[in-house]
Amino acid sequence: MSPTTVTCIGLTCKIFLNSGLASVTVNGLPTLMDALNSDKRNNGQGVVTVGNHISTLDDPVTWGILPTRTYLNSRMTRWTLGASEVMFTNPVLSHFFRQGQVLETFRGKGIFQRSVDAAIDLLNQGEWIHLYGEGKINQPATYKTDETGKGFLPRFKWGVGRIISSPTTIPTVIPMWITGFDTLMPEGRPFPYNFLPRVGARLSVTFGTPIPGNEISKVIESISASSSADLDMRIRTEITSLIHRAVERLGRTVSGTSLRIDS
């Protein structure tokens, strides 16, 4: 891990968010900072943030909202999982993203691959992991809706449940919701515009109330006490659904029932 890489990326994102090229509204940041500053991390309780994924710039630009001092301490910087075929396509990019605390993840290789194991190990050390539960970008305009216009966040990957339920101590889990990043980097634009952010986007980042650890523990204990087969799989799926509901519920408070908002 490279403190220099972490510092440079963080400061660059903060400069961009303060440049006037985009506006950003932040809600609930003290919730995250309290978790990151908690002494419980020194005793092996990690921090997990889980949010929607709406553009290629969600990470790292979102983290430009953090206090500047956090960029000087890699322990105050998130680890995350990144797709091998997108981020680790050559030796230079591979080195860069590894130094930026990204765990190379291979789509299609399931939830028992090395990056998922590494995320669990990091949580056992009290580190911070950020997860995009959908596993890919889904811009709000593509969300499924019912006949009333109610929108639905795409389902989360089961790796979310494994990462959260497997550490020795249940981590602090904080749902997140971001808006406007899809207008900053819209999908489907031709080259070279698909690599250029649009100016004037109105962004928001919201941190919800942490999911009570005893709520997660109750799910694990309840399933473990049953006599049915595939207990581990049931735990993973139930925890994943619990986290999905929390993120979607937060999304409705920010973006309304449709989960879409004009940015």
Side-chain angles (χ1 to χ4, degrees), residues 56-75:
T56 55
L57 287 184
D58 296 352
D59 191 296
V61 172
T62 296
W63 310 120
I65 65 170
L66 296 174
T68 301
R69 65 179 183 279
T70 62
Y71 309 135
L72 306 176
N73 182 354
S74 58
R75 191 165 169 79

Side-chain angles (χ1 to χ4, degrees), residues 216-237:
I216 297 173
S217 296
K218 284 180 181 178
V219 172
I220 297 173
E221 292 167 2
S222 175
I223 295 175
S224 298
S226 70
S227 57
S228 60
D230 299 321
L231 294 181
D232 288 343
M233 183 179 72
R234 286 189 59 204
I235 289 171
R236 292 192 297 270
T237 56

Side-chain angles (χ1 to χ4, degrees), residues 82-93:
S84 177
E85 77 278 10
V86 175
M87 305 173 77
F88 295 82
T89 54
N90 61 56
V92 174
L93 286 177

Side-chain angles (χ1 to χ4, degrees), residues 11-237:
L11 290 176
T12 299
C13 293
K14 180 167 277 298
I15 290 170
F16 172 77
L17 290 180
N18 286 279
S19 66
L21 297 176
S23 63
V24 60
T25 301
V26 183
N27 301 292
L29 181 58
T31 298
L32 175 63
M33 297 311 300
D34 286 347
L36 295 181
N37 287 313
S38 173
D39 290 337
K40 293 179 180 179
R41 296 184 67 194
N42 297 324
N43 296 318
Q45 183 177 43
V47 177
V48 178
T49 47
V50 190
N52 56 325
H53 195 9
I54 59 177
S55 86
T56 55
L57 287 184
D58 296 352
D59 191 296
V61 172
T62 296
W63 310 120
I65 65 170
L66 296 174
T68 301
R69 65 179 183 279
T70 62
Y71 309 135
L72 306 176
N73 182 354
S74 58
R75 191 165 169 79
M76 299 292 283
T77 301
R78 63 90 193 102
W79 287 82
T80 193
L81 283 67
S84 177
E85 77 278 10
V86 175
M87 305 173 77
F88 295 82
T89 54
N90 61 56
V92 174
L93 286 177
S94 296
H95 178 75
F96 173 77
F97 284 115
R98 289 191 182 102
Q99 296 299 298
Q101 301 185 186
V102 179
L103 303 171
E104 183 176 11
T105 306
F106 298 88
R107 286 179 174 147
K109 289 196 173 182
I111 65 174
F112 294 102
Q113 58 180 293
R114 185 181 303 174
S115 60
V116 178
D117 293 339
I120 294 167
D121 289 341
L122 286 165
L123 288 173
N124 281 329
Q125 298 169 40
E127 295 289 348
W128 168 24
I129 303 287
H130 180 70
L131 300 175
Y132 291 109
E134 302 148 87
K136 65 175 183 177
I137 295 168
N138 288 291
Q139 299 202 321
T142 68
Y143 290 173
K144 291 183 178 179
T145 58
D146 64 14
E147 62 277 4
T148 68
K150 183 178 183 179
F152 298 92
L153 183 65
R155 77 171 186 86
F156 282 1
K157 303 298 184 182
W158 290 348
V160 172
R162 181 173 180 236
I163 289 171
I164 289 172
S165 64
S166 297
T168 303
T169 302
I170 296 298
T172 300
V173 182
I174 302 172
M176 281 182 61
W177 191 261
I178 59 174
T179 69
F181 288 81
D182 52 321
T183 64
L184 185 65
M185 285 293 282
E187 294 283 285
R189 291 183 296 167
F191 177 86
Y193 304 105
N194 56 323
F195 290 102
L196 301 174
R198 283 182 172 174
V199 299
R202 291 181 292 170
L203 315 176
S204 79
V205 180
T206 301
F207 299 92
T209 302
I211 299 171
N214 61 357
E215 188 174 342
I216 297 173
S217 296
K218 284 180 181 178
V219 172
I220 297 173
E221 292 167 2
S222 175
I223 295 175
S224 298
S226 70
S227 57
S228 60
D230 299 321
L231 294 181
D232 288 343
M233 183 179 72
R234 286 189 59 204
I235 289 171
R236 292 192 297 270
T237 56

